[in-house]
Amino acid sequence: MTTSWQPVTVRMLCGLEGLVGAHLAAGEAGLDQEVRSIEVVSTLASAESVPPGALVVAAPGETELVVLDMMLSAVRAAGAVGFVVTNGPHLVGSATRLAGKLGMPLLVATFKDPLQLARQLDRVVHAPELVRADVLSQLGRHLRRRHTEPGPVLDTLARMLSGQAGLISPVGAVLAGSALALPEGALTDPSPHTFPGAADGREGDLVLVPVVLDAQSGPDMWLAVQLPPGPRTWTTTAEQAAVLAASAVTGWAARRRLEGEREGRERSDLLSELLKKPNHPSRDLAESGLKLGWRMHGWHTGVHLRPTRSASNRRRLTEVLNAALGEQGLGGHLVERGEGWAFWATADREPAHSSHGDVVKPLRAALNSLSGEALLTAGVGRPRKGPEGLARTLTEARQACLLAGTGARSVRVAHIDELDLQQLLADWYSLESFQTYARQILKPLYDRGETQLIRTVEAYLEHESSASSTAARLGIHRNTVAERIARVESLLDVNLALPDHRLVVQLACRTLRFSDRQAS
C-alpha cells in the first residue's frame, strides 16, 4: 500500500518509539519543524557539526561534562530543529530558558543508549516500511497464540503503536481496553475508517476497524486505536495492525458465540424440563441448575419479555437485553423461551408485597433504553418460593406480558397484581365458546380478507370512538376512518354509536387478538 509523502515533524516523533512519555521542557513553538535526520552528540565539537534539520540526541554521560546551554546554542546555530536529553542533574533552569528563547524544542526523555534511540527514530523518519514490517511481524507472532483474549491483544497493539486501544460495542460502550472519545457518528460507517487527529496536533488519528461475525447484521464490535501525533506512514501502519488484531478478536468472538449458543440451548432445555416437573426436580436437573448458578429454593420473581414484532437478529437482541438489565441492577438469569425470554431473580427472603416497583421501574428503564434496538413488552409475576414457585411466577409473568401488549403503547411493563381485571378478561378470552362467538361476529371481515378494516375498527374502539385519534394512530385522514367505520357497520350489521354494539365488537376483536398471541 502506497502513501503520500508527508514531512515528519518534531511533534510527530514525540509520542513514538523511544520518546513515549517524553517531557517538553521548552520550545513548544518549534514542534512543527521538519526532521530530516537524527544525530547523536557527546561533545561541543560534534554539536557544532550537525546538519540542518537534525533532531539531536545528547549522550547522557557526556552532557554532564559540558555546558548544556553552549551545546544548545551550537546545534541551533547549525540548524537543528530539536534537542533530546535524558533526565539528570545537568538539566538546569538556564538551559530551559535558553531553549525557550531560541524556539528550540527541548525534550526530556528516559533512555540509556542514545545510539539505540537514534536508530529507532531514524527508521521512523527514513524507513517507515521497515518499521511497519516489524510491527506487523511482532503482532503476528503474538497473535499466533491460541485462544488469545481481547485484553492482551489490545495491550500489545497499544504498546506497539504507542497509543491506546479499546474494544467498543455498536452503541459505543467499552467492552475491553481503554475508554476512547469517539467523534459523533463514528460508528455509522460499517467499513474500516480513520478520523484525522485534532487540528492543534495534540492528538493523533483515530483508527476504527469493525469486528464482524455476520455480514448481514453489521459490526458486532469495533476495534479502536487512538494514536499519538505522528506521520501518515505511522497511521498506515496502525490501520494494517488494527485489521490484523481485529481478525484475532473475530476468532475469539466466534468461539465465544458458539459457546454462548451452546450454553443458551442448555439453559433453555433445562428451564423447559424444570417447568414440566416443578414439584419433583430430579437430582440431575437440580445439579445442572446449580452449575448454571440457579438457586432452586429461594424466593423467585419471574419476568417474561417479548418483542412486539419478530426480531431480525435474535442473538444480538439477547446480548443487548442482558446488558441493559444488568445496567439497571437487575441481576438474574435470562433464558430464551419460545417467542421471548424468561428472566428471574432469586432472594433469600420473601420480598415485601409492595416491593414489585423495585422490579417494574428498572425493568421499564431497561426496555426504554433499548427502544433504538427493538420495542419490547414485559410482564412480572409474584414472588414465589422453591422450584414450584419458579414455574408459577414465570407463568404469571408470561400472562402479564401477553396482557401488557394489548394497549396502544409499544413498550410496556405490567405486574400481574396490576392486572386483576385484565386477568379475568383474559380467562374469558380463553374460553373456546367465546372465541367461537367472536369469530362468528367478525366473520364477514375475515372472509373478505379486510385486514385494513379490522385494524381500523380495533384502533377506533381502543381510542374511544374518536376518528381524529384513530387517524393519528394509523397515519390516515379522519375522513378515511369515517368511511371505513361505515363499511364495518354495514358488513357486520351493527351500529357502533350504540354502547352494547361497541362492547360486543371490541370484545370480539380483543378475544381474537389474544387468541392469536397465545397461538404464536
Side-chain angles (χ1 to χ4, degrees):
M1 180 177 181
T2 60
T3 57
S4 58
W5 179 84
Q6 178 189 25
V8 178
T9 64
V10 179
R11 187 190 302 274
M12 292 175 178
L13 293 178
C14 285
L16 304 181
E17 296 290 337
L19 294 184
V20 174
H23 167 62
L24 179 66
E28 183 176 1
L31 284 175
D32 293 316
Q33 298 182 83
E34 181 183 353
V35 177
R36 299 178 185 174
S37 66
I38 309 295
E39 306 293 334
V40 178
V41 300
S42 58
T43 65
L44 184 58
S46 61
E48 294 172 344
S49 61
V50 298
L55 177 66
V56 178
V57 180
E62 300 297 334
T63 51
E64 297 183 20
L65 305 178
V66 297
V67 180
L68 189 59
D69 52 2
M70 292 178 63
M71 296 184 70
L72 273 170
S73 298
V75 298
R76 186 55 171 166
V81 294
F83 199 69
V84 183
V85 297
T86 187
N87 205 355
H90 58 279
L91 186 60
V92 294
S94 61
T96 302
R97 289 192 294 273
L98 179 60
K101 183 178 179 180
L102 295 173
M104 166 80 77
L106 178 60
L107 300 169
V108 184
T110 302
F111 60 91
K112 294 182 179 179
D113 187 346
L115 292 176
Q116 181 181 1
L117 174 59
R119 282 195 296 270
Q120 289 176 334
L121 298 176
D122 187 72
R123 279 160 59 88
V124 175
V125 175
H126 293 118
E129 294 81 5
L130 296 179
V131 176
R132 185 181 311 141
D134 284 348
V135 169
L136 297 178
S137 177
Q138 292 178 42
L139 183 61
R141 286 197 297 271
H142 177 83
L143 298 180
R144 279 202 296 269
R145 302 170 186 171
R146 296 188 62 188
H147 308 303
T148 304
E149 296 285 328
V153 173
L154 297 173
D155 291 342
T156 302
L157 194 63
R159 175 174 51 81
M160 290 182 175
L161 298 176
S162 306
Q164 294 177 296
L167 197 60
I168 313 296
S169 77
V171 294
V174 179
L175 302 176
S178 302
L180 305 177
L182 301 180
E184 186 176 354
L187 305 182
T188 55
D189 182 357
S191 61
H193 53 284
T194 299
F195 285 87
D200 59 9
R202 297 182 181 275
E203 203 171 57
D205 297 341
L206 174 68
V207 178
L208 290 168
V209 178
V211 176
V212 181
L213 297 180
D214 185 353
Q216 296 181 347
S217 61
D220 293 81
M221 293 170 281
W222 287 87
L223 192 149
V225 181
Q226 178 63 66
L227 298 171
R232 175 59 199 168
T233 53
W234 191 252
T235 300
T236 302
T237 298
E239 290 169 344
Q240 296 181 6
V243 169
L244 186 60
S247 65
V249 175
T250 301
W252 167 82
R255 290 192 298 272
R256 287 293 299 270
R257 175 181 290 186
L258 289 174
E259 294 170 0
E261 290 176 350
R262 182 168 60 249
E263 291 178 1
R265 287 193 296 271
E266 291 176 356
R267 290 172 184 270
S268 182
D269 293 344
L270 183 62
L271 180 61
S272 298
E273 190 67 24
L274 180 62
L275 296 181
K276 289 177 184 177
K277 303 175 182 178
N279 295 324
H280 305 287
S282 66
R283 179 177 177 179
D284 290 342
L285 191 63
E287 289 179 353
S288 298
L290 288 174
K291 289 179 182 178
L292 294 175
W294 298 1
R295 294 164 55 193
M296 300 291 185
H297 297 285
W299 284 86
H300 311 289
T301 300
V303 177
H304 188 88
L305 309 104
R306 67 180 182 86
T308 58
R309 60 181 62 92
S310 179
S312 59
N313 191 336
R314 182 70 176 272
R315 173 196 54 78
R316 171 174 164 74
L317 188 52
T318 300
E319 293 174 355
V320 296
L321 176 58
N322 203 15
L325 293 172
E327 288 175 2
Q328 295 299 326
L330 293 173
H333 308 283
L334 183 68
V335 180
E336 291 192 30
R337 185 184 178 200
E339 80 289 357
W341 299 266
F343 174 83
W344 70 94
T346 305
D348 293 325
R349 298 181 180 180
E350 181 180 5
H353 180 71
S354 60
S355 66
H356 66 264
D358 297 339
V359 177
V360 171
K361 186 176 180 180
L363 183 58
R364 183 175 288 118
L367 299 194
N368 285 332
S369 72
L370 296 176
S371 58
E373 292 279 348
L375 299 179
L376 305 172
T377 57
V380 182
R382 300 182 183 91
R384 301 290 186 181
K385 187 177 181 181
E388 181 182 2
L390 176 58
R392 289 182 64 189
T393 187
L394 288 177
T395 299
E396 292 172 348
R398 187 173 184 275
Q399 183 78 4
C401 183
L402 288 171
L403 294 170
T406 60
R409 291 172 57 192
S410 297
V411 178
R412 295 190 61 185
V413 179
H415 192 281
I416 193 66
D417 285 341
E418 300 171 348
L419 298 169
D420 289 339
L421 179 58
Q422 285 184 306
Q423 191 169 11
L424 289 175
L425 288 173
D427 292 339
W428 191 14
Y429 296 156
S430 301
L431 292 175
E432 185 176 350
S433 58
F434 193 77
Q435 289 182 7
T436 302
Y437 182 58
R439 292 190 187 95
Q440 186 64 33
I441 292 173
L442 299 177
K443 188 174 185 295
L445 300 182
Y446 279 96
D447 285 350
R448 289 173 171 81
E450 296 283 6
T451 56
Q452 198 175 62
L453 294 182
I454 294 170
R455 286 197 300 269
T456 302
V457 73
E458 282 182 335
Y460 180 74
L461 296 173
E462 291 287 347
H463 288 82
E464 300 178 352
S465 303
S466 168
S468 298
S469 299
T470 305
R473 171 68 173 168
L474 299 179
I476 58 179
H477 196 276
R478 66 188 309 277
N479 291 343
T480 305
V481 174
E483 292 171 0
R484 292 180 183 177
I485 294 302
R487 179 162 171 75
V488 168
E489 290 178 324
S490 174
L491 290 173
L492 300 185
D493 193 20
V494 296
N495 182 0
L496 295 181
L498 300 176
D500 289 345
H501 287 203
R502 285 201 307 272
L503 177 61
V504 169
V505 174
Q506 186 170 19
L507 287 175
C509 290
R510 286 192 172 192
T511 298
L512 295 187
R513 188 194 318 159
F514 186 81
S515 176
D516 290 342
R517 284 203 179 99
Q518 282 193 314
S520 65

PDB file of all heavy atoms in Angstrom, residues 262-276 285 294 335-336:
ATOM      1  N   ARG A 262     -24.363 -22.646  22.671  1.00  0.00           N
ATOM      2  CA  ARG A 262     -24.484 -23.961  23.299  1.00  0.00           C
ATOM      3  C   ARG A 262     -25.032 -23.826  24.726  1.00  0.00           C
ATOM      4  O   ARG A 262     -25.935 -24.569  25.141  1.00  0.00           O
ATOM      5  CB  ARG A 262     -23.119 -24.652  23.321  1.00  0.00           C
ATOM      6  CG  ARG A 262     -23.165 -26.063  23.916  1.00  0.00           C
ATOM      7  CD  ARG A 262     -21.880 -26.808  23.665  1.00  0.00           C
ATOM      8  NE  ARG A 262     -20.733 -26.126  24.246  1.00  0.00           N
ATOM      9  CZ  ARG A 262     -19.778 -25.532  23.538  1.00  0.00           C
ATOM     10  NH1 ARG A 262     -19.847 -25.530  22.220  1.00  0.00           N
ATOM     11  NH2 ARG A 262     -18.756 -24.930  24.132  1.00  0.00           N
ATOM     12  N   GLU A 263     -24.495 -22.853  25.480  1.00  0.00           N
ATOM     13  CA  GLU A 263     -24.992 -22.632  26.833  1.00  0.00           C
ATOM     14  C   GLU A 263     -26.445 -22.178  26.808  1.00  0.00           C
ATOM     15  O   GLU A 263     -27.242 -22.556  27.678  1.00  0.00           O
ATOM     16  CB  GLU A 263     -24.129 -21.586  27.543  1.00  0.00           C
ATOM     17  CG  GLU A 263     -22.723 -22.066  27.851  1.00  0.00           C
ATOM     18  CD  GLU A 263     -21.888 -20.979  28.498  1.00  0.00           C
ATOM     19  OE1 GLU A 263     -22.428 -19.869  28.720  1.00  0.00           O
ATOM     20  OE2 GLU A 263     -20.707 -21.231  28.782  1.00  0.00           O
ATOM     21  N   GLY A 264     -26.806 -21.336  25.795  1.00  0.00           N
ATOM     22  CA  GLY A 264     -28.185 -20.869  25.693  1.00  0.00           C
ATOM     23  C   GLY A 264     -29.153 -22.019  25.474  1.00  0.00           C
ATOM     24  O   GLY A 264     -30.233 -22.052  26.073  1.00  0.00           O
ATOM     25  N   ARG A 265     -28.771 -22.950  24.599  1.00  0.00           N
ATOM     26  CA  ARG A 265     -29.638 -24.121  24.371  1.00  0.00           C
ATOM     27  C   ARG A 265     -29.751 -24.961  25.638  1.00  0.00           C
ATOM     28  O   ARG A 265     -30.831 -25.467  25.955  1.00  0.00           O
ATOM     29  CB  ARG A 265     -29.079 -24.957  23.214  1.00  0.00           C
ATOM     30  CG  ARG A 265     -29.264 -24.336  21.843  1.00  0.00           C
ATOM     31  CD  ARG A 265     -28.991 -25.342  20.748  1.00  0.00           C
ATOM     32  NE  ARG A 265     -27.601 -25.779  20.761  1.00  0.00           N
ATOM     33  CZ  ARG A 265     -26.616 -25.183  20.095  1.00  0.00           C
ATOM     34  NH1 ARG A 265     -26.884 -24.118  19.364  1.00  0.00           N
ATOM     35  NH2 ARG A 265     -25.385 -25.649  20.143  1.00  0.00           N
ATOM     36  N   GLU A 266     -28.626 -25.120  26.339  1.00  0.00           N
ATOM     37  CA  GLU A 266     -28.666 -25.899  27.576  1.00  0.00           C
ATOM     38  C   GLU A 266     -29.579 -25.241  28.606  1.00  0.00           C
ATOM     39  O   GLU A 266     -30.369 -25.909  29.284  1.00  0.00           O
ATOM     40  CB  GLU A 266     -27.240 -26.034  28.139  1.00  0.00           C
ATOM     41  CG  GLU A 266     -26.328 -26.908  27.298  1.00  0.00           C
ATOM     42  CD  GLU A 266     -24.902 -26.928  27.832  1.00  0.00           C
ATOM     43  OE1 GLU A 266     -24.634 -26.197  28.814  1.00  0.00           O
ATOM     44  OE2 GLU A 266     -24.056 -27.658  27.276  1.00  0.00           O
ATOM     45  N   ARG A 267     -29.489 -23.904  28.721  1.00  0.00           N
ATOM     46  CA  ARG A 267     -30.335 -23.193  29.670  1.00  0.00           C
ATOM     47  C   ARG A 267     -31.807 -23.326  29.302  1.00  0.00           C
ATOM     48  O   ARG A 267     -32.664 -23.556  30.166  1.00  0.00           O
ATOM     49  CB  ARG A 267     -29.940 -21.711  29.705  1.00  0.00           C
ATOM     50  CG  ARG A 267     -28.595 -21.441  30.341  1.00  0.00           C
ATOM     51  CD  ARG A 267     -28.200 -19.978  30.151  1.00  0.00           C
ATOM     52  NE  ARG A 267     -26.885 -19.703  30.668  1.00  0.00           N
ATOM     53  CZ  ARG A 267     -26.627 -19.309  31.912  1.00  0.00           C
ATOM     54  NH1 ARG A 267     -27.635 -19.125  32.743  1.00  0.00           N
ATOM     55  NH2 ARG A 267     -25.393 -19.089  32.309  1.00  0.00           N
ATOM     56  N   SER A 268     -32.098 -23.152  27.998  1.00  0.00           N
ATOM     57  CA  SER A 268     -33.481 -23.240  27.548  1.00  0.00           C
ATOM     58  C   SER A 268     -34.053 -24.633  27.779  1.00  0.00           C
ATOM     59  O   SER A 268     -35.182 -24.785  28.272  1.00  0.00           O
ATOM     60  CB  SER A 268     -33.558 -22.864  26.061  1.00  0.00           C
ATOM     61  OG  SER A 268     -34.873 -22.900  25.595  1.00  0.00           O
ATOM     62  N   ASP A 269     -33.278 -25.669  27.443  1.00  0.00           N
ATOM     63  CA  ASP A 269     -33.740 -27.048  27.640  1.00  0.00           C
ATOM     64  C   ASP A 269     -33.930 -27.349  29.121  1.00  0.00           C
ATOM     65  O   ASP A 269     -34.897 -28.024  29.515  1.00  0.00           O
ATOM     66  CB  ASP A 269     -32.749 -28.037  27.030  1.00  0.00           C
ATOM     67  CG  ASP A 269     -32.693 -27.953  25.511  1.00  0.00           C
ATOM     68  OD1 ASP A 269     -33.613 -27.361  24.919  1.00  0.00           O
ATOM     69  OD2 ASP A 269     -31.715 -28.451  24.919  1.00  0.00           O
ATOM     70  N   LEU A 270     -32.999 -26.854  29.945  1.00  0.00           N
ATOM     71  CA  LEU A 270     -33.078 -27.118  31.379  1.00  0.00           C
ATOM     72  C   LEU A 270     -34.304 -26.439  31.990  1.00  0.00           C
ATOM     73  O   LEU A 270     -35.010 -27.036  32.802  1.00  0.00           O
ATOM     74  CB  LEU A 270     -31.802 -26.619  32.069  1.00  0.00           C
ATOM     75  CG  LEU A 270     -31.693 -26.888  33.566  1.00  0.00           C
ATOM     76  CD1 LEU A 270     -31.703 -28.382  33.840  1.00  0.00           C
ATOM     77  CD2 LEU A 270     -30.420 -26.253  34.137  1.00  0.00           C
ATOM     78  N   LEU A 271     -34.570 -25.191  31.568  1.00  0.00           N
ATOM     79  CA  LEU A 271     -35.740 -24.490  32.098  1.00  0.00           C
ATOM     80  C   LEU A 271     -37.026 -25.198  31.667  1.00  0.00           C
ATOM     81  O   LEU A 271     -37.951 -25.356  32.468  1.00  0.00           O
ATOM     82  CB  LEU A 271     -35.739 -23.042  31.624  1.00  0.00           C
ATOM     83  CG  LEU A 271     -36.915 -22.188  32.110  1.00  0.00           C
ATOM     84  CD1 LEU A 271     -36.922 -22.100  33.630  1.00  0.00           C
ATOM     85  CD2 LEU A 271     -36.855 -20.788  31.502  1.00  0.00           C
ATOM     86  N   SER A 272     -37.097 -25.639  30.411  1.00  0.00           N
ATOM     87  CA  SER A 272     -38.289 -26.356  29.941  1.00  0.00           C
ATOM     88  C   SER A 272     -38.522 -27.617  30.759  1.00  0.00           C
ATOM     89  O   SER A 272     -39.656 -27.926  31.145  1.00  0.00           O
ATOM     90  CB  SER A 272     -38.146 -26.705  28.455  1.00  0.00           C
ATOM     91  OG  SER A 272     -38.049 -25.537  27.674  1.00  0.00           O
ATOM     92  N   GLU A 273     -37.450 -28.341  31.041  1.00  0.00           N
ATOM     93  CA  GLU A 273     -37.566 -29.572  31.829  1.00  0.00           C
ATOM     94  C   GLU A 273     -38.013 -29.262  33.255  1.00  0.00           C
ATOM     95  O   GLU A 273     -38.851 -29.972  33.832  1.00  0.00           O
ATOM     96  CB  GLU A 273     -36.207 -30.274  31.851  1.00  0.00           C
ATOM     97  CG  GLU A 273     -36.235 -31.680  32.427  1.00  0.00           C
ATOM     98  CD  GLU A 273     -37.008 -32.656  31.554  1.00  0.00           C
ATOM     99  OE1 GLU A 273     -37.126 -32.404  30.338  1.00  0.00           O
ATOM    100  OE2 GLU A 273     -37.502 -33.667  32.100  1.00  0.00           O
ATOM    101  N   LEU A 274     -37.480 -28.157  33.801  1.00  0.00           N
ATOM    102  CA  LEU A 274     -37.842 -27.779  35.164  1.00  0.00           C
ATOM    103  C   LEU A 274     -39.308 -27.367  35.253  1.00  0.00           C
ATOM    104  O   LEU A 274     -40.010 -27.713  36.213  1.00  0.00           O
ATOM    105  CB  LEU A 274     -36.949 -26.628  35.631  1.00  0.00           C
ATOM    106  CG  LEU A 274     -37.187 -26.100  37.050  1.00  0.00           C
ATOM    107  CD1 LEU A 274     -36.923 -27.192  38.076  1.00  0.00           C
ATOM    108  CD2 LEU A 274     -36.300 -24.892  37.331  1.00  0.00           C
ATOM    109  N   LEU A 275     -39.795 -26.651  34.239  1.00  0.00           N
ATOM    110  CA  LEU A 275     -41.178 -26.202  34.260  1.00  0.00           C
ATOM    111  C   LEU A 275     -42.162 -27.352  34.048  1.00  0.00           C
ATOM    112  O   LEU A 275     -43.316 -27.268  34.448  1.00  0.00           O
ATOM    113  CB  LEU A 275     -41.392 -25.123  33.192  1.00  0.00           C
ATOM    114  CG  LEU A 275     -40.593 -23.824  33.394  1.00  0.00           C
ATOM    115  CD1 LEU A 275     -40.911 -22.824  32.297  1.00  0.00           C
ATOM    116  CD2 LEU A 275     -40.871 -23.229  34.756  1.00  0.00           C
ATOM    117  N   LYS A 276     -41.695 -28.433  33.401  1.00  0.00           N
ATOM    118  CA  LYS A 276     -42.558 -29.598  33.228  1.00  0.00           C
ATOM    119  C   LYS A 276     -42.757 -30.341  34.544  1.00  0.00           C
ATOM    120  O   LYS A 276     -43.829 -30.887  34.810  1.00  0.00           O
ATOM    121  CB  LYS A 276     -41.949 -30.554  32.200  1.00  0.00           C
ATOM    122  CG  LYS A 276     -42.001 -30.055  30.769  1.00  0.00           C
ATOM    123  CD  LYS A 276     -41.310 -31.058  29.850  1.00  0.00           C
ATOM    124  CE  LYS A 276     -41.259 -30.546  28.410  1.00  0.00           C
ATOM    125  NZ  LYS A 276     -40.514 -31.487  27.529  1.00  0.00           N
ATOM    126  N   LEU A 285     -31.303 -32.761  37.332  1.00  0.00           N
ATOM    127  CA  LEU A 285     -31.828 -31.449  36.971  1.00  0.00           C
ATOM    128  C   LEU A 285     -31.380 -30.396  37.977  1.00  0.00           C
ATOM    129  O   LEU A 285     -30.952 -29.296  37.595  1.00  0.00           O
ATOM    130  CB  LEU A 285     -33.357 -31.510  36.918  1.00  0.00           C
ATOM    131  CG  LEU A 285     -34.079 -30.306  36.306  1.00  0.00           C
ATOM    132  CD1 LEU A 285     -33.698 -30.150  34.843  1.00  0.00           C
ATOM    133  CD2 LEU A 285     -35.583 -30.465  36.452  1.00  0.00           C
ATOM    134  N   TRP A 294     -28.181 -21.379  39.198  1.00  0.00           N
ATOM    135  CA  TRP A 294     -29.587 -21.246  39.567  1.00  0.00           C
ATOM    136  C   TRP A 294     -29.802 -21.754  40.989  1.00  0.00           C
ATOM    137  O   TRP A 294     -29.369 -22.842  41.348  1.00  0.00           O
ATOM    138  CB  TRP A 294     -30.484 -22.052  38.629  1.00  0.00           C
ATOM    139  CG  TRP A 294     -30.425 -21.609  37.198  1.00  0.00           C
ATOM    140  CD1 TRP A 294     -29.663 -20.605  36.679  1.00  0.00           C
ATOM    141  CD2 TRP A 294     -31.146 -22.173  36.096  1.00  0.00           C
ATOM    142  NE1 TRP A 294     -29.863 -20.489  35.335  1.00  0.00           N
ATOM    143  CE2 TRP A 294     -30.778 -21.445  34.935  1.00  0.00           C
ATOM    144  CE3 TRP A 294     -32.075 -23.195  35.967  1.00  0.00           C
ATOM    145  CZ2 TRP A 294     -31.292 -21.723  33.682  1.00  0.00           C
ATOM    146  CZ3 TRP A 294     -32.598 -23.481  34.718  1.00  0.00           C
ATOM    147  CH2 TRP A 294     -32.207 -22.750  33.587  1.00  0.00           C
ATOM    148  N   VAL A 335     -33.106 -16.352  29.952  1.00  0.00           N
ATOM    149  CA  VAL A 335     -33.142 -17.589  29.166  1.00  0.00           C
ATOM    150  C   VAL A 335     -34.127 -17.400  28.023  1.00  0.00           C
ATOM    151  O   VAL A 335     -35.260 -16.934  28.239  1.00  0.00           O
ATOM    152  CB  VAL A 335     -33.576 -18.794  30.036  1.00  0.00           C
ATOM    153  CG1 VAL A 335     -33.614 -20.070  29.196  1.00  0.00           C
ATOM    154  CG2 VAL A 335     -32.627 -18.970  31.220  1.00  0.00           C
ATOM    155  N   GLU A 336     -33.709 -17.748  26.801  1.00  0.00           N
ATOM    156  CA  GLU A 336     -34.630 -17.685  25.669  1.00  0.00           C
ATOM    157  C   GLU A 336     -35.725 -18.732  25.865  1.00  0.00           C
ATOM    158  O   GLU A 336     -35.455 -19.889  26.191  1.00  0.00           O
ATOM    159  CB  GLU A 336     -33.890 -17.950  24.365  1.00  0.00           C
ATOM    160  CG  GLU A 336     -32.933 -16.830  23.975  1.00  0.00           C
ATOM    161  CD  GLU A 336     -32.421 -16.967  22.559  1.00  0.00           C
ATOM    162  OE1 GLU A 336     -33.164 -17.516  21.732  1.00  0.00           O
ATOM    163  OE2 GLU A 336     -31.280 -16.548  22.289  1.00  0.00           O
TER     164      GLU A 336
END
